[in-house]
Amino acid sequence: MTHDTIVLGAGMVGVGCALHLQARGQAVALLDRRAPGLETSYGNAGIIQREAIEPYALPRGLSFLLSGVTNRRVDVRYNAADAARMLGPLWSYYRNSAPAPLQKIAAEYETLIALSLETHQQLMHDAGANDLIGGQGYLMLFRTERELHSFHAVADQRATQGVNHIKLSSADVAQEEPSLKGRFAGAVRWTDPVAIRSPGDLVQRYAQLFEQRGGAVHLGEAMTLRRADAGTWQVDTASGHTLRARQVVVALGPWTTQLTSRFGYTAPVIPKRGYHMHYAPVPGQPLNCTVIDAEYGYVIAPMKKGLRLTTGAELANVDAPRNTAQIEAAEHIARQSFPLGQRVEPEPWMGTRPCMPDMKPVFGAVPEVPGLWCAFGHGHQGFTLGPVTGELLAAMMTGAVPRVDVRPFSPGRFG
Ligand SMILES: Cc1cc2nc3c(=O)[nH]c(=O)nc-3n(C[C@H](O)[C@H](O)[C@H](O)COP(=O)(O)OP(=O)(O)OC[C@H]3O[C@@H](n4cnc5c(N)ncnc54)[C@H](O)[C@@H]3O)c2cc1C
């Protein structure tokens, strides 16, 4: 049970790391308390967001901040006590969302997003997973001319950075999606992203590829990680074995710092929870592609299990009680415009986006802990960024030169 590296966490990020370390000739073990891809990487909106060259900033307008006071917005809600404990990181997030710092952060973020699609495409090809592609591109729908035209400026700017789109009028939208009931002012269709019709299945296919190539997947509790003699690490599997390796990657999503803090490293993760529910399609009223209702911040995505509605952000601790008010509000609005049939599950699913105050993921060596590496904090785009993170981290861990400058993502900027 001795390996070169143990990867803890089999979400999109951990599996991406495991595959790329393996591709560099390492013997790798992957450990999770559940089967691969069953946490947040399972329940997201499934978009490989090649267009997301700017991370999700906090809206800074006074009207947004005031409208949040009642905690009834559809796109953002919060658990007041938990949000109060996050005030420091939230203040930092707010300051980083100002135009000047955001411009610098976006330039760094773009270097990852630019490689996101090609790194997925290679893995999808190798894993024989192209059948999970639901469609090319997605629609950002706008209810008012004002919002639509101000977003045109965003789309035009991104076009100068190599991100493609098509502008759709109200009539174009009605023609492309005849089952929509509401009237929309228009839409922007991002044409580069890829919509996956079962995100959890994609993680599982990648994990299967890892196994076919000789990797080992284990069930186990990551918190059993401990330092052993001679600079090695040990962790226990659920079947009673002990895994040993010189290097460990901690990729536990929002739980990552619970483990790394035991070894002296922590970072301010802002947990943004999200919910989803599947609905039966209404016969004869298909939804042809994934759509975002820009005003209310929810997504409707055609998936294997039905039409998946995913919510915006709920600021609440990862283990706080679930609060389904936000998805109920989103469902209420969505039913007025989209052909949603009966709910197909008894309860909404919930997951957590691990967000950082500077909106950038964290990957690299944990400072002052030899052999300990981490990869977490991918926020709104971890499904998109898992494979490229794996590629870059694997290069760093094996002494190669990563394809992009990885310094902006260094764990050392926190802690
Ligand atoms: C509603 C919603 C919609 C989203 N839509 C998109 C989208 O369209 N596109 C996109 O790119 N991103 C999207 N995201 C974000 C994306 O899903 C996340 O950023 C991504 O899944 C994070 O991946 P991860 O591997 O870091 O974490 P996870 O997928 O959460 O994986 C962490 C793993 O660690 C394991 N683990 C945790 N603790 C332990 C422990 N103690 N012992 C053992 N194992 C442990 C868990 O079981 C889990 O498998 C969305 C998120 C939400 C909530």
Side-chain angles (χ1 to χ4, degrees):
M1 290 293 181
T2 298
H3 300 81
D4 295 313
T5 300
I6 302 165
V7 178
L8 301 175
M12 184 55 94
V13 174
V15 173
C17 294
L19 274 163
H20 280 283
L21 284 162
Q22 184 183 54
R24 288 184 172 273
Q26 288 212 346
V28 182
L30 181 61
L31 179 133
D32 199 294
R33 60 188 170 197
R34 308 177 71 183
L38 289 184
E39 279 291 345
T40 310
S41 298
Y42 161 81
N44 57 58
I47 312 171
I48 300 175
Q49 289 191 259
R50 175 61 185 87
E51 90 296 351
I53 55 174
E54 186 172 293
Y56 193 88
L58 194 62
R60 286 170 55 93
L62 192 60
S63 62
F64 173 82
L65 296 175
L66 289 177
S67 69
V69 172
T70 58
N71 206 8
R72 294 179 69 81
R73 287 186 67 97
V74 176
D75 54 350
V76 183
R77 299 236 173 162
Y78 51 89
N79 173 313
D82 292 348
R85 279 190 287 273
M86 293 173 212
L87 274 184
L90 284 172
W91 175 239
S92 177
Y93 182 21
Y94 179 79
R95 282 187 297 136
N96 282 322
S97 300
L102 183 58
Q103 193 180 9
K104 178 172 183 295
I105 288 166
E108 294 163 347
Y109 199 72
E110 184 189 356
T111 62
L112 302 182
I113 291 287
L115 300 178
S116 60
L117 192 54
E118 65 178 69
T119 44
H120 265 290
Q121 281 167 334
Q122 182 64 53
L123 289 182
M124 280 196 272
H125 171 268
D126 293 355
N130 285 332
D131 59 305
L132 295 175
I133 296 176
Q136 184 78 33
Y138 74 88
L139 282 187
M140 291 278 294
L141 284 173
F142 292 88
R143 290 164 185 272
T144 66
E145 295 287 344
R146 198 167 142 263
E147 294 295 320
L148 177 67
H149 287 119
S150 96
F151 197 74
H152 280 170
V154 174
D156 288 338
Q157 172 57 38
R158 290 193 193 176
T160 67
Q161 296 166 272
V163 172
N164 300 301
H165 72 275
I166 299 170
K167 295 184 179 78
L168 301 181
S169 67
S170 183
D172 295 333
V173 171
Q175 194 177 359
E176 289 209 5
E177 292 292 350
S179 306
L180 292 194
K181 290 181 269 177
R183 186 191 173 280
F184 289 90
V188 167
R189 173 190 284 284
W190 295 116
T191 53
D192 302 307
V194 168
I196 299 297
R197 59 193 190 89
S198 185
D201 282 355
L202 187 62
V203 181
Q204 280 165 25
R205 297 277 186 92
Y206 288 176
Q208 283 160 10
L209 177 66
F210 168 72
E211 287 185 291
Q212 283 158 16
R213 290 174 169 174
V217 179
H218 297 275
L219 285 177
E221 175 49 67
M223 295 293 166
T224 62
L225 181 71
R226 57 201 177 269
R227 267 193 270 227
D229 294 341
T232 59
W233 294 89
Q234 293 183 351
V235 68
D236 297 333
T237 69
S239 59
H241 294 102
T242 298
L243 305 178
R244 293 179 184 80
R246 283 197 177 276
Q247 305 195 97
V248 172
V249 178
V250 189
L252 300 175
W255 296 276
T256 299
T257 58
Q258 285 179 14
L259 178 54
T260 59
S261 62
R262 293 185 175 188
F263 303 98
Y265 175 74
T266 191
V269 178
I270 301 171
K272 288 192 191 174
R273 304 199 309 190
Y275 297 80
H276 87 215
M277 172 55 71
H278 290 99
Y279 302 85
V282 176
Q285 295 182 37
L287 188 66
N288 295 317
C289 82
T290 295
V291 295
I292 295 186
D293 182 339
E295 186 170 341
Y296 292 103
Y298 63 82
V299 177
I300 303 201
M303 293 267 172
K304 225 167 82 173
K305 285 175 88 175
L307 291 176
R308 176 182 289 188
L309 184 157
T310 64
T311 63
E314 181 198 28
L315 295 171
N317 285 349
V318 64
D319 51 1
R322 297 155 57 96
N323 181 347
T324 55
Q326 188 177 19
I327 191 162
E328 275 146 25
E331 178 182 328
H332 177 72
I333 303 279
R335 281 198 181 281
Q336 295 165 26
S337 302
F338 297 96
L340 301 182
Q342 294 292 313
R343 286 183 168 203
V344 303
E345 289 145 330
E347 288 296 330
W349 167 93
M350 188 193 79
T352 304
R353 305 169 182 91
C355 299
M356 307 311 294
D358 63 4
M359 294 163 266
K360 294 179 296 186
V362 184
F363 55 89
V366 171
E368 294 169 35
V369 191
L372 195 61
W373 301 75
C374 62
F376 69 103
H378 293 73
H380 290 254
Q381 271 97 37
F383 184 67
T384 301
L385 294 175
V388 63
T389 299
E391 184 203 297
L392 299 172
L393 188 74
M396 294 160 78
M397 290 178 67
T398 54
V401 179
R403 272 203 282 172
V404 302
D405 181 0
V406 290
R407 286 172 298 182
F409 314 105
S410 158
R413 69 190 198 271
F414 302 110

